Amino acid sequence: MTASLEQLRRCHFAVDLGAARTRVYVKGAGLVVDQPSAAAVNTRTGALIAVGELAEKMTGRTPHYIRVVRPVSGGTVVDIEMAQRMLRHLLGDRMRRQLRRKPRLRAAACTPHDADPLAQRAAIETLVGLGARRVELVDTLIAAAVGCGLPVERPEATMIMVCGAAATQVAVLSLGSIVTAERVPVGGEAVDHAIVQHLRHEHELMLPSQSVRPLQIALSGNGLTPHGPASTEIHGRDVATGLARSVRIDTAAVRDAIQTPLTAVLDGIGKVLRDCPPDLVADLADRGITMVGGSALLPGFDQMLRRATGMPVHIAERPDVCAAQGLGAMLEGKIQPLALNPMGS
């Protein structure tokens, strides 16, 4: 991390391309883009119809010749050309002109912890297509830890959990580096899928894709804890007749359906702690786990982790934008590397 801090200071903009949202931080201007990673395309002409929020709203509501695509999946760019087109539109002409004026445009990008060389290459290609002459890659875990103000560069353990849409990454950091880390392929989308499947099997109801989030919020009297409302009414489509129907569902049963994917996350935390040196685990007993990422806001997720691990669990102040803000702090030179004085002979 110390070696690349100097290079990161020279970067002009940073991109956090997530499966759910794309964020762009421009040096001196702050966070300029925070939009869903979605683009609507006319399949007849290949023209881009909408990006971001508007494309997200079109999901599941388009005629057959309009397709809503997601160029990022699981933290990896799967369609480089579409990702470039989406980023160009999200940045807008004015910001792109401003960036193009820089003589040697440099960019930084977040990559998941265990990203393979192909995934790293895809992130670099995407930004090179926007005009970047050089691209620095930063581990999402370190960027998120810096963004939520953890003392990453100190010789003490900090544990961070990045709850994304497609995966959850858990790591113990010390001295600005990752000591142990684990990536669990379960994220917010797996939780949404569990809710949809439960309603389909138990109530023969198909839920519109846009209704899953409101349902989670309806559960959030006290979230995944048993003190929330006993039942809630939802509207969907009957599997057999295809007609609209509303049912009252038992929130306890939905909570049970959500628990299944979340147990995989608990296993990941257990594995990281088992692989961690005992001195660092002792630090973590006081400091606990910091949760960042959009899915950290899943109602009651933090209480469940507290019960399962017996450790303090904190949700970062703005968990969804921590990684982008961490990249921004590195770009602006706000992070000081730990200066080690070479020992005199």
Side-chain angles (χ1 to χ4, degrees):
M1 178 177 158
T2 36
S4 60
L5 269 177
E6 196 47 54
Q7 290 157 341
L8 283 167
R9 282 200 189 110
R10 295 188 201 143
C11 291
H12 301 104
F13 73 106
V15 178
D16 175 18
L17 273 169
R21 292 184 84 84
T22 293
R23 299 180 176 90
V24 181
Y25 187 103
V26 174
K27 197 172 190 172
L31 201 64
V32 293
V33 173
D34 182 0
Q35 294 268 359
S37 306
V41 186
N42 183 331
T43 52
R44 290 174 183 166
T45 62
L48 205 59
I49 294 166
V51 292
E53 297 279 3
L54 192 54
E56 179 92 333
K57 285 194 180 119
M58 291 181 182
T59 308
R61 294 188 158 90
T62 58
H64 67 92
Y65 63 90
I66 294 176
R67 206 158 58 93
V68 177
V69 292
R70 295 185 169 276
V72 186
S73 171
T76 305
V77 178
V78 288
D79 183 341
I80 294 173
E81 191 200 344
M82 190 50 72
Q84 288 171 352
R85 289 173 74 186
M86 180 183 81
L87 275 169
R88 276 190 208 112
H89 277 266
L90 289 174
L91 276 168
D93 291 339
R94 200 166 127 259
M95 188 54 79
R96 280 204 347 264
R97 272 200 303 273
Q98 211 171 308
L99 287 173
R100 259 198 235 111
R101 286 195 201 111
K102 312 275 189 229
R104 275 186 69 80
L105 187 62
R106 287 169 174 251
C110 273
T111 52
H113 170 60
D114 57 354
D116 56 35
L118 267 177
Q120 295 179 354
R121 188 81 228 145
I124 292 170
E125 290 284 321
T126 304
L127 297 189
V128 166
L130 286 180
R133 303 287 291 279
R134 187 184 166 113
V135 180
E136 304 291 343
L137 297 180
V138 181
D139 197 306
T140 306
L141 290 160
I142 289 179
V146 168
C148 61
L150 291 175
V152 183
E153 65 288 345
R154 306 255 294 276
E156 327 168 339
T158 50
M159 190 168 189
I160 186 147
M161 183 167 153
V162 179
C163 313
T168 302
Q169 300 172 72
V170 189
V172 174
L173 310 173
S174 179
L175 284 172
S177 298
I178 291 167
V179 181
T180 58
E182 192 65 31
R183 185 168 182 267
V184 184
V186 170
E189 286 168 3
V191 171
D192 293 356
H193 185 67
I195 293 176
V196 169
Q197 290 300 100
H198 167 76
L199 292 172
R200 190 172 185 139
H201 291 146
E202 298 298 316
H203 301 281
E204 294 187 346
L205 197 73
M206 280 179 77
L207 203 60
S209 57
Q210 311 277 345
S211 304
V212 181
R213 285 276 172 242
L215 174 59
Q216 286 182 5
I217 291 159
L219 292 176
S220 70
N222 282 308
L224 304 179
T225 57
H227 312 297
S231 65
T232 182
E233 190 165 342
I234 55 162
H235 309 283
R237 190 178 82 185
D238 191 291
V239 172
T241 63
L243 299 173
R245 180 162 71 90
S246 62
V247 287
R248 282 207 82 75
I249 59 159
D250 178 24
T251 52
V254 176
R255 273 198 300 274
D256 290 344
I258 293 176
Q259 296 288 1
T260 313
L262 295 184
T263 48
V265 175
L266 294 176
D267 293 346
I269 292 174
K271 188 172 185 316
V272 167
L273 291 172
R274 281 196 300 279
D275 294 348
C276 194
D279 294 17
L280 293 180
V281 176
D283 286 356
L284 294 173
D286 314 326
R287 188 167 288 142
I289 306 171
T290 304
M291 294 171 73
V292 301
S295 303
L297 297 167
L298 186 67
F301 192 9
D302 53 333
Q303 285 120 304
M304 179 187 148
L305 287 179
R306 245 177 241 129
R307 275 201 311 277
T309 60
M311 290 160 71
V313 177
H314 320 282
I315 299 179
E317 199 171 316
R318 288 197 59 202
D320 46 343
V321 294
C322 278
Q325 284 178 334
L327 280 175
M330 292 175 187
L331 257 61
E332 307 280 9
K334 291 180 184 164
I335 308 301
Q336 289 306 314
L338 184 71
L340 296 172
N341 296 325
M343 307 238 340
S345 51

